[in-house]
Amino acid sequence: MSVGFVVKATRRVIIAFLALHDSVICWPRLAEKEEAKQRVEDNSCPAWRDGFCMVDGTLVPLAEKPGHHGEAYFDHKSNYSLNVQVSLL
């Protein structure tokens, strides 16, 4: 795997996501927002009920150290990984 391949693959993935943007990314309707608030209150800390746009992340381990800026991918668990974050409404 080369630096050029990573750049090209990243561009293709971003273009694919952007093509889906208008059909899959939208703000929740009032009823959906209220349902999510109730779920937070029922299943976790009631004080978080009015939280909005929560973000969670996970580390996706890489098979080996990337050749370009490899140390930037070294995580707190002593692995090489990518951090993926998801926003929940």
Side-chain angles (χ1 to χ4, degrees):
M1 198 176 290
S2 69
V3 173
F5 173 80
V6 173
V7 171
K8 286 181 182 178
T10 301
R11 283 189 184 140
R12 287 183 181 211
V13 168
I14 295 299
I15 288 169
F17 280 134
L18 289 175
L20 296 171
H21 180 275
D22 293 341
S23 63
V24 298
I25 298 175
C26 60
W27 291 105
R29 292 184 292 264
L30 188 57
E32 293 170 323
K33 191 173 174 182
E34 187 57 38
E35 180 182 318
K37 287 180 175 188
Q38 189 61 48
R39 190 170 45 248
V40 167
E41 183 176 342
D42 293 343
N43 297 313
S44 65
C45 178
W48 294 348
R49 183 187 199 290
D50 291 324
F52 191 66
C53 293
M54 295 180 203
V55 176
D56 190 15
T58 188
L59 297 174
V60 177
L62 301 174
E64 57 188 60
K65 177 182 174 182
H68 193 63
H69 299 292
E71 295 305 316
Y73 298 90
F74 197 70
D75 64 29
H76 68 283
K77 295 182 179 179
S78 300
N79 297 312
Y80 293 99
S81 64
L82 293 174
N83 188 1
V84 178
Q85 293 187 339
V86 177
S87 295
L88 302 173
L89 304 176

